[in-house]
Amino acid sequence: MVVTVGLLLMNACSEEFLEITPNGSLDQSVLATYAGVDALLIGAYSMIDGIDASFSWEAATSGWVYGCIRGLEANKGTFSGDQPDINPIQSFSESPTNPYLNAKWRSCYEGVSRCNSTIVTAGMALEAGTIDQAEHDSFVNQARALRGWYHFELFRLFGDYSTGMYVPYVDQNTVQSELGNEVDIRPMIIADLEAGTDLALDMGGIGRFNKTVVQVFLAKAYMQLYQDYGSALTELNEVVASGTKPNGDPIGLAARYGEIFDIENRNFIESVYTVQYSVNDNSGAYNGGWGEVLNFPYKGGGSPGGCCGFFCPTQDFVNSFRTDPNGLPFLDNSYNDEEVTNDQGIAIGDPFVEYAGQLDPRVDWSVGRRGIPYWDWGPHTGADWLRDQSYSGPYSPKKQVYQQSQEGSYTEVGNWTSGWTANGYRMIRYADVLLLKAECEAMTDTDDLGYGEVNQIRARAANPAGFVMEDDGVTPAANYVVAEYTTPPANSAEAMTRIKFERKLELGQEGHRYYDLQRWGDVLNPNELPRILAHEKSMPWGDNLYDATAAVGPEDVNFPIPQRQIDLMLGRLVQNR
Amino acid sequence: MNIVIQGTTQGAVTDAQGNFSISVTGDDATLVFSFIGYSTQAVPVGSQTTINVTLTPDVTSLDEIVVTAYATQKKGDLTGSVGVVNTEQLVQMPQSNITQQIQGRVAGVTVVQDARPGQDAKVRIRGMGSFQNNEPLYIVDGVPTTDINSLNPEDVESMSVLKDAGAASVYGARAANGVIVITTKRGSAGQMKVNFNAYGGISTVGSGPDFLCNTQEMADLVWLISANDGTVEDHPLYGLTTNPEPTLPFWAADTDWFGESTQRGSIQNYDLSLSGGTEGANFYASLGYLDQTGEVIFNWYKRFSARFNSEFTVKDRLTLGENINIVHRSDHGVGNQAEQTAVTGGAYRMMSIIPVIWESGPYQGLTHFWEDGDWGSTGIANRLGNGQNFVSDATRDKDDKWQQLRILGNVFADLKIIEGLNLKTSIGGSIDMQYYTNWTGSTYEHSENTATPTYRETGQIGGFWTWTNTLTYNAQFGDHSILAVAGYEANKLGYGRGVWAQGAGYFTEDAFSFRTVGTAENLQSGDSWFNTPRTLVSQFLRADYNFRSKYYLSGTVRRDGSSVFGAENRYGVFPSVTGGWRISEESFMSSVGFISDLKIRGGYGTMGNQAAVSTSNQFYLYDGAPNRSFYDINGTFTGSAPGFRPSRIGNPDAKWETNVTTNVGFDAVLFERKLELTFDWYTKRNVDLLFNPELPGTAGNASRPYFNVGEMLNTGIDAMATYRMISGDFNFEVTATMTTYNNEIIAIAEGIEFFDSVQDGGNRIGATSRNEVGYPVGSFFGYDFLGFFQSQGDVDDHATQAGAEPGFLKYRDTDLSEEIGPEDRIHIGNPNPDFTYSLNFNVGYKGFDLVAFFYGSQGNDIVNQNRWWLDFWGSFIGQKNVGMLNDSWTPDNPDAAFPKASAKSNFSTSQEYSSYYIEDGSFFRLKNLQIGYTFDNAMLGNIFSNLRIYIQGTNLFTITKYSGLDPELYQPSETVFGVDQGSLPVAKQFIVGVNLGF
């Protein structure tokens, strides 16, 4: 009897018994508050490095693969078998099935998705009265600016003007099943970024977007997407005149070139927007520059990081820093007439004579090379810093590398390398702003065609206090000679030649090069990448590094749309080539 | 032989010659002669003074009582497909986990081993029917569970495998992968019995691979590669490549890394059980201890188990009882099928030139200033790769320990309402507590080092409960037999929570006693979890009817509600119907002399699977995690601000997967009961399979919901034959089983024809397996390797292929596009065997017994992923196959087994996955050979009721063409298998044991 009653009772409550809601998660309604929307927005910001537990170096925002290696500033490095999917990217033979492309695509759209959930939830919160209109607008404008940036990144990688195949634009109203890529989404990108320019200058946090940051992105988008230098110049003029960092602090050029890349200085005056990496923050290093973790010298205990020997600068890049007797670059590309001496094939103990010719001092902040002091790690000793010198060539990366004194405090502890750092990616730094402004002046034939801006940057480079010094602290590590231009450019073309070269020297290894060439139409014409590729293939390590058939073709001005995405979108996404 | 006077407890036993004497009270006495395995015979004494009795062997198992769903039945009365495990054979295998012992014991059950002590084998009943979850349901003394690894095999009384819907469908939404019903031992009225079993032995995985380069051969290989590639350099290990010969560095060792990473294993096992009872009460109690040392250094596993089962009958009406199993398990585990394991990390990634311990110091290496006694590893010099010294890592980690305390059991009450009608209620479940520690010491010796030591401690608790109520009616009306069960069941599964914390930086790394998370310099990270449980509520009905044990009809139906599905799809109904016809009972069959018993049977029904879906599937969710959504918005450098992200897209419309099974079979007993055959043919159509199709990237990266979109078809046969022969002192029994399943994917999802799978554990070449409509699960997919390019002309004549060179891999241009690209990839192999089979021989002669158990798998392909590491220089620097030196392609060696030795890594060498890696994985293995001797009780003065000693060897030989260490691969993933990523080989064991009864 008791059992029978029990059975009946249980029948009665079985519906309730079967209602189980998940533990450890929240639904959207709970997040429709000020704190909730802000947390969703922080989640949207957190994809700006390209990384979360699902995405690693393939998706890095720092552009070491897509901006630098593809731009032939650097090669994959390490040895042939590691991350072989980069090999076709540097040999201009990547297929649509290359997993790097798919990861990058997915990472960017994950950022977009987070922006959209922020925007929708902010709307819910406004309706519920938990935030006011101004708060709502600030949240939404930040999210829209971020969304604009994620789409901009996708567009410059995968959008193709010649075929009219772009990338899908996803906003909070998008019906996934209707998406395609035949719509020109540039106006949407501009609109999202324009919304971001309504933000305040002081956003109360260094990691947020403010008006200035978004204005730079907007200018970049005008330049990259429309070659609209006039509109870009308007934004950049305002940035230079009255821009601030997201916390309201002033922006400007740092006094010494090398100090820009010191982790300590990541939010220094030079930084307009730095991606805020953090270490030992319980993220298992996912917030600590995971995207760049492979890109440290490979000497283990005796050198920084200990892993993994990727991202080795090219000889062409190093040669570019040669200067003429006036301390000016070889604008006619004759810098390759003479190779900066390297220690390729020279054993560690054997004598090596460093290059004695004139060099722009920025080379030794951009590149680790034998005999030159490498931060506080002592001099780079050559082949033992490389994983396989016969494959990667003799150079090591440097700008993102931490100092010995920073190990453990600004690096993640307790894992297979120390190469997770707080050295946030300098996504926009002031020198970039000045050079973009110079470019706009040159292209629109206004002001001094960028003469002043270029010289401002060269003057900073020439500050001896910013040279790499030998151990004594007073002797320059190499024969550094760099000077300002003494004559204004005669015309727009000459100005552009100077500006293009200056960007290579100033912003090298910082993820810009391939996109710059794209913008200028210089990937193939005038033969820029084929010229450099031919030079690099002629290096002793070139045969091992590049496929014999590597060649830059007309389709190599962007990347193919990932095949996996074409498959998943059931024909609505069309390949761009 | 036992002799008792009928109706009394007076009795006698025969001596060794079979003689006996007994006093009877009069002529009307009847003597009952019995012996295990023989028919009991009753002989009226009458006036005889000498009685000669020859017992006939009772060898058929048809009268065996089999435990089935919520009932017990005579085996001869089964209409569904039920495989009965001989539990005595089960425990013959000296293995530490009962799932490992099931292999080869039942037709229709495929068991994939894990060679590590204590680890679960994968048990698959009739192939695979789900992309997500193929685990059978286990019912232990009436309690459903998915985990039986805490059971002591010695405690198992019976084990039945319910294979088709007719047998299993009454378990409804949990039955689709088959059900294994287990009962544990009980006491019986009479004298108390004490049993003691013990065995011990050693094990070895042998000397490992014999195909690796030694130190000199590796240097020579580098010279060959430099010559082939035209590379000129000052090699950091061997000097200028223009020298005629490589010079070995002074510190060069010649290490046998496999030997250093493995050891001789050992096993010891002790079981003591007591059982007994009186009229109204019985009990069974046991203690077990298993201590196994694995074949990988520092690996061990221990299990203490206790069981107490008891039953009390009150006034012949109410039976109360309990079954409880308490187990403590602990181990220092090792990896399998992954990069930093003994096989891959030890043997395949470390060159022999590297010393285990440095003895050549002092020396300035790549990562360290070496002094004698330091560990040697890849940090000694450039070009040693990034492998890690397995011995040094394992030594540092040796104190890591996992431990578990699990209690599994139930209490029950059974009320006899009237004769034949019983109401039973049972409440059971488990509590499972685990704790593990993981030390990662700092290293100096590797090329990639860990600078700061960390220590992680993890604790968790979990469990489930089940409340089952059944009303059973069992009656015989003349020629009609009826068994009916109605039931109600409620389950709450998978509740629990856990927490871990990790400290970084330790004052000393040597003192184990100092190691806690709290003594670290920094409390580095931590996390916790809170499982979302699932609940099920069910009603069910089963009815079995037979007429004169000649015509059988049986039906079951179950209705399940599950919390993991939305309200609209919460309930499912799973019916089945089976029938049987014992032809041998028909009069027209009486003339067919060789048939003793023949029954044909068939059935149809559906079963469900709800385990394939996450408990959160119906919900749209947001969550935050430091590694997912936190961002250092305030620029602190060392702390990130909490953020949220969409974590899951919900699908409230999902429902259970359904398995529709048709089964036809027969059971036959032939030739004077000497030969028994059981045969089943089945089709198993798994529909509404849950699959979480990858969404386009534009939808974001939140967890994808499961939809009921897939479909799979399995067909196959299970066959089992037993032949018995007894001739005087000699008896002989052989049992053969055969299992086949043909799996075909019918549908995955709308618009999705395939999905690719990579095996867990790391694979640097990408997906090996493509699950595609029209092909079996796990089918291998890649380029079709045709051979090596023989000349530049051959390269030019062939379709354009990136990286093509003479001596490199040539792929088939399957689409005839004159260009080799992704669309040329085809299905190139099948990891599913054509069939698996076993043979078990049991031979007895007087006191001697011999068991030989063979197991084999035929027609399955293996991807020998190790060849990616070993056959190509451009994969990763590390150990290489000596064939690269001796038998690699050159113009003078066009029929070489290995490609041209070259450092190039490209499309035509190591970057693509092709049939180059595929091998035949068929094998035939002597799993067990055991010779025992049972002592004559009389000889021992009747102190023992039983004394048997035995010696045993397992896995003594294997016949296979597979070139890797062992074709019997551990399987870490569901939709990809048959991939050898350094699978730990099964060891040979040598055992001695004793069975003792009082």
Side-chain angles (χ1 to χ4, degrees), chain B residues 9 238 313 439 486 504 519 548 550 580 723 814 878 894 923 939 997-998:
Chain B
T9 54
Y238 310 121
T313 305
W439 170 257
T519 51
R548 289 185 182 164
K550 193 194 288 184
Y723 180 78
T814 57
F923 69 91
M939 222 166 78
F998 295 94

Side-chain angles (χ1 to χ4, degrees), chain B residues 532-573:
Chain B
T532 302
R534 65 180 71 209
T535 51
L536 286 156
V537 173
S538 321
Q539 298 95 33
F540 54 89
L541 196 63
R542 125 169 222 184
D544 294 44
Y545 164 81
N546 77 64
F547 178 76
R548 289 185 182 164
S549 290
K550 193 194 288 184
Y551 306 111
Y552 293 85
L553 188 64
S554 170
T556 70
V557 62
R558 184 179 181 117
R559 177 177 182 264
D560 278 308
S562 172
S563 66
V564 297
F565 302 120
E568 299 295 307
N569 288 316
R570 185 156 285 160
Y571 293 94
V573 176

Side-chain angles (χ1 to χ4, degrees), chain B residues 345-422:
Chain B
Y348 295 160
R349 296 214 57 195
M350 292 295 276
M351 296 185 198
S352 57
I353 193 173
I354 301 165
V356 175
I357 302 271
W358 184 262
E359 295 172 340
S360 319
Y363 176 73
Q364 176 61 60
L366 174 66
T367 60
H368 178 69
F369 190 83
W370 260 274
E371 292 179 24
D372 289 357
D374 287 356
W375 293 112
S377 187
T378 46
I380 294 169
N382 262 324
R383 309 291 181 85
L384 293 174
N386 65 341
Q388 301 188 356
N389 181 337
F390 185 84
V391 182
S392 65
D393 284 349
T395 305
R396 285 194 187 91
D397 295 350
K398 68 179 166 31
D399 297 311
D400 289 347
K401 184 175 172 182
W402 165 84
Q403 49 190 316
Q404 177 198 37
L405 180 66
R406 186 175 192 232
I407 301 169
L408 172 69
N410 65 328
V411 295
F412 62 89
D414 189 330
L415 177 70
K416 184 165 80 182
I417 300 169
I418 53 169
E419 192 61 40
L421 182 66
N422 286 57

Side-chain angles (χ1 to χ4, degrees), chain B residues 852-864:
Chain B
F853 175 50
F854 299 88
Y855 179 78
S857 176
Q858 186 63 39
N860 57 301
D861 293 322
I862 288 179
V863 170
N864 188 351

